[in-house]
Amino acid sequence: MSRLDTCFFKLSTSTFDFCVHKTQEIFCLHIPLLDFHLSMAAQLKLARWQIVNDLNEPNIKAICDNLLQKNVINKFERDSMTHRMLDRADMARQLVDTVISKGNNASTLMIEALQQVDQHLFKEIERNLALANHTVVQAGAQGAPDAPPNYNNLM
């Protein structure tokens, strides 16, 4: 087996791109996220800790307004999430938990809103989710139950 020179990942809302550069050849896989059994709600749940720790208050409010406008949350939910008695982390925690409870469509809309209001945090989360998906691929290569397809034979 030849040595890997470089390896990179990219995650979007629809695909997981995995590219490996071996000596003078480049192999790229563009895999739908459905192959990983990670719904958007599951991805948001994986990103919860980072969102709670890093999302600032103005961006929390902007995402809440965006989700209110798209009828993902109602005015009461938005007001309770952005209540002055809550600290920033509690606002973010309540936002993420509420959206996750509403399912994949709501989670997709929140991830899109996050991308619009905080590109830097979105990129960090995208990178971390790609690594999480890579871990799932490795588990599949080792024969874990309900594992995604094994893509190792393509390299």
Side-chain angles (χ1 to χ4, degrees):
M1 187 174 206
S2 64
R3 181 177 67 83
L4 294 181
D5 294 329
T6 59
C7 181
F8 62 92
F9 310 92
K10 180 178 181 250
L11 181 73
S12 70
T13 55
S14 60
T15 62
F16 168 64
D17 299 335
F18 171 72
C19 294
V20 175
H21 180 244
K22 288 168 126 180
T23 55
Q24 299 203 352
E25 297 179 71
I26 296 177
F27 300 92
C28 289
L29 300 173
H30 306 286
I31 306 163
L33 283 178
L34 295 175
D35 287 349
F36 292 104
H37 307 290
L38 285 178
S39 65
M40 292 307 283
Q43 291 181 55
L44 188 56
K45 195 170 192 176
L46 285 172
R48 182 183 186 271
W49 182 86
Q50 193 168 7
I51 292 170
V52 168
N53 285 306
D54 297 341
L55 191 61
N56 65 38
E57 189 172 338
N59 288 343
I60 293 168
K61 290 179 178 182
I63 291 171
C64 284
D65 289 340
N66 182 299
L67 296 176
L68 176 65
Q69 194 172 41
K70 293 180 179 175
N71 295 316
V72 173
I73 60 174
N74 60 42
K75 190 171 181 345
F76 176 77
E77 289 169 319
R78 194 244 355 237
D79 292 345
S80 68
M81 285 179 218
T82 57
H83 193 271
R84 294 191 189 278
M85 298 299 279
L86 294 176
D87 69 5
R88 182 208 51 78
D90 285 335
M91 286 180 187
R93 196 173 290 112
Q94 191 171 351
L95 170 62
V96 172
D97 292 345
T98 299
V99 171
I100 289 171
S101 74
K102 292 177 181 268
N104 291 325
N105 291 338
S107 298
T108 299
L109 292 171
M110 179 172 167
I111 290 170
E112 290 171 357
L114 175 65
Q115 184 177 16
Q116 290 173 0
V117 301
D118 193 335
Q119 188 69 34
H120 177 72
L121 179 57
F122 174 81
K123 290 287 187 190
E124 283 183 36
I125 290 169
E126 183 179 52
R127 216 175 1 262
N128 290 339
L129 287 175
L131 292 175
N133 281 328
H134 177 63
T135 302
V136 172
V137 170
Q138 287 179 338
Q142 297 168 3
D146 297 323
N150 181 349
Y151 297 102
N152 288 338
N153 59 350
L154 298 175
M155 289 190 267

